[in-house]
Amino acid sequence: FRRKQPSAAELVSNILKGDKTALSRAITLIESTNVDHLAKANEVIQGCLPHANKSVRIGITGVPGVGKSTFIEAFGKHLTSLGKKVAVLAVDPSSSISHGSILGDKTRMEELVKDENAFIRPSASGDSLGGVARKTREAIILCEACGFDTIIIETVGVGQSETAVHSMVDFFLLLKIAGAGDELQGIKRGIMEMADAIVINKADGDNIAKAKLAKTEFNRALHLFPAKNSGWTPKVTTCSAFEKTGIDNVWSIITDYFQLVKENDYFDYKRKEQNQFWMMETINEQLKTHFYNHPEIITLLEQNKKAVQNNEVSPFAAAQLLLNQYFNNRK
Ligand code: GDP
């Protein structure tokens, strides 16, 4: 027998009661590509929306191996010990190929997974970053409605996913490890510029001195960046996710930040800007998807790709022809 699926209203009512099973189910609906599911997912989101927005959203990035999952486990446990309810989501657009390179592995965050006050969800899969990011944005709303007051969004330090995560969180944390004096090499300037804090992990054993040196160098480098609109000066600190040292200090930096931006209203301002941004992103994304999946366009596109390759028609004329065809059909 197949179990009867709960209605959208039932899901909303259970999510609002803090039911993690209902939350999981609703996120699965959001991630589904089935058209019927889409309508139901929208109903659930709409029902949850008035109860969302009451959380802090923290983005965490860093290259593979830097210790993100170890850090999030230690950090998450610290937060639940303070009475917080922590949801961990991920944005990993490569997950459809690699079957979840982050958060997919069940052995990660073993302690946090068992914690009643934590909810961990691997990245949605999808072939576009925009699609994965949208699903994550929607999942944030559901987690908040379910009573999670601290939302952590993990992403890998490769590609464009940091920018997407940066635009859905209030605080952006860059996790690093100390190298052999070459701390500032190979760091994408843009990512450092987005960071509200740089945390140098693995500051334990023989690494402590190197981590301290890295901290000084990052502090110096951060001074070269223009001041942030938030009025916040990015902080650099060290920790060992493994030995669980320095984790409380990371949290105190984050609470200082929230105190500042709630006082100066930057918190609300940024969230409003982000909402508008995501509306525009969603329109762009759906226009593209609709265009490229249109049967007539698929055929025309193939024909014109060849014609453009053979110099039979200019790229601009071909593009115009396709767009005219698409838009004229809908007039
Ligand atoms: P991720 O790929 O960024 O999620 O990194 P992981 O959390 O999987 O960690 C990568 C490796 O670094 C693992 O072998 C961890 O045990 C190790 N590691 C993580 N944090 C620390 C730390 O604070 N100190 C030390 N010495 N090792 C750590």
Side-chain angles (χ1 to χ4, degrees), residues 246-279:
I247 304 293
D248 49 350
N249 194 33
V250 175
W251 179 238
S252 96
I253 289 174
I254 296 176
T255 44
D256 283 351
Y257 173 84
F258 280 108
Q259 196 181 346
L260 174 82
V261 295
K262 285 191 174 173
E263 269 168 23
N264 70 12
D265 283 337
Y266 183 77
F267 181 85
D268 281 335
Y269 164 81
K270 189 174 175 185
R271 284 214 172 169
K272 284 178 187 159
E273 289 285 302
Q274 288 178 336
N275 283 344
Q276 280 194 16
F277 172 80
W278 283 103
M279 180 181 83

Side-chain angles (χ1 to χ4, degrees), residues 63-70 108 154 201-202 204 239-242:
V63 294
V66 75
K68 287 183 297 301
S69 62
T70 315
R108 299 173 89 231
E154 176 185 8
N201 187 32
K202 306 199 188 183
D204 44 46
C239 80
S240 167
F242 205 67

Side-chain angles (χ1 to χ4, degrees), residues 129 156-163 188 191:
L129 172 60
V156 263
V158 286
Q160 289 300 306
S161 51
E162 277 106 344
T163 315
K188 284 173 265 171
I191 292 170

Side-chain angles (χ1 to χ4, degrees), residues 62 64 68 90-104 108 122-133 135-136 154-162 164-165:
K68 287 183 297 301
V91 172
D92 179 10
S94 67
S95 65
S96 48
I97 307 155
S98 61
H99 297 291
S101 58
I102 59 176
L103 286 178
R108 299 173 89 231
S123 176
S125 57
D127 43 23
S128 77
L129 172 60
V132 173
K135 291 169 195 168
T136 311
E154 176 185 8
T155 192
V156 263
V158 286
Q160 289 300 306
S161 51
E162 277 106 344
V165 170

